[in-house]
Amino acid sequence: MSERAPLLVLKGVSRHFGGLVALSNFSVALEQGEIAGLIGPNGAGKTTVFNVVTGVYAPTAGEIHLAGRRIDGLSPVAVNRAGIARTFQNIRLFGGMSVLDNVLVGFNQSAEHGLLGALVRSPRAVRESRMFDVAAMDLLDTFGLADQAAQVARNLPYGAQRRLEIARALATRPKMLLLDEPAAGMNPQEKAELMELIRFVRERFRVGVWIIEHDMKVIMSICQRITVLDHGEIIAEGTPAEVQADPRVIEAYLGEPV
């Protein structure tokens, strides 16, 4: 582990829904540039973790810090502006919009000209809009989507839609990228390409990456550290080799060594 302060820290985070404890005393510290995994059986609380981190739910207890700043209780928009971006298991692109416009939506999260400036086309708004256009095309080129910039997003092949969703998330200029089951629905070739893409994103954009994933080949191949949840509680944490060998993990989730 690095001697630098962790990038994302969750301390004793819990989330209750009435009498249901979805998450209990969850603590983790993720480092800048780390690829970390979050696994567990269905209903273990994985997506609840991401929802609490991204402001969809406020934690019932505990604290969340990003780059030294406390962010628990902030709105999803405020969390995104603080430096956390997310993708979802079910792709949530703006299907009727172009590929380029989907990425521009991400860049506009950081726009400084405001609604009035956009409406009156102030010089500042025009300059910023042109800058975003160039940056968006550069990002699409990086993800191999530049030649499809004018295409309607819903018409892209499945793997390309995944790439576009990640590109849009990166357009918000995050410090930490959360990927919720990015390999869902992919064939083996697409999964192999996804793993390379995640490694590339970490290196190229210098972000931390936190992944929820059920495909154990994906998670064990690319993650440096894995946290395992069961019934809302951490039952194991460590390297892929340590997690695979942990009897509690085998019993609760894996069933047998991967």
Side-chain angles (χ1 to χ4, degrees), residues 88-138:
F88 296 84
Q89 178 181 357
N90 299 315
I91 295 174
R92 298 188 185 182
L93 295 172
F94 299 106
M97 293 170 57
S98 72
V99 169
L100 175 61
D101 284 341
N102 266 271
V103 176
L104 286 172
V105 167
F107 279 110
N108 283 325
Q109 281 285 80
S110 60
E112 297 180 355
H113 55 255
L115 178 59
L116 180 60
L119 291 174
V120 302
R121 299 292 290 170
S122 68
R124 182 178 186 179
V126 171
R127 287 195 303 271
E128 197 168 40
S129 178
R130 289 173 178 167
M131 180 184 70
F132 287 163
D133 286 343
V134 172
M137 285 303 301
D138 182 60

Side-chain angles (χ1 to χ4, degrees), residues 157-232:
Y158 189 83
Q161 289 190 35
R162 281 287 183 198
R163 295 203 309 276
L164 176 57
E165 190 178 35
I166 294 173
R168 184 181 63 184
L170 290 169
T172 67
R173 298 165 178 163
K175 301 179 181 73
M176 173 67 66
L177 178 64
L178 277 52
L179 304 177
D180 193 346
E181 297 199 37
M186 288 188 170
N187 61 41
Q189 178 61 34
E190 288 171 332
K191 289 177 181 179
E193 293 172 355
L194 174 70
M195 288 189 283
E196 289 305 312
L197 177 63
I198 292 171
R199 293 188 184 100
F200 169 78
V201 164
R202 187 265 306 269
E203 295 299 327
R204 171 69 171 78
F205 297 93
R206 300 186 181 276
V207 296
V209 183
W210 200 8
I211 308 169
I212 293 173
E213 185 53 66
H214 281 293
D215 189 304
M216 289 299 98
K217 182 177 181 180
V218 171
I219 210 83
M220 298 295 174
S221 297
I222 63 174
C223 291
Q224 297 154 276
R225 188 158 51 100
I226 299 169
T227 303
V228 187
L229 272 179
D230 190 28
H231 296 97

Side-chain angles (χ1 to χ4, degrees), residues 1 3-9 28-32 65-68:
M1 299 290 286
E3 294 182 358
R4 295 180 301 175
L7 175 60
L8 179 65
V9 178
V28 71
L30 304 181
E31 306 230 359
Q32 179 74 41
H65 297 257
L66 177 69

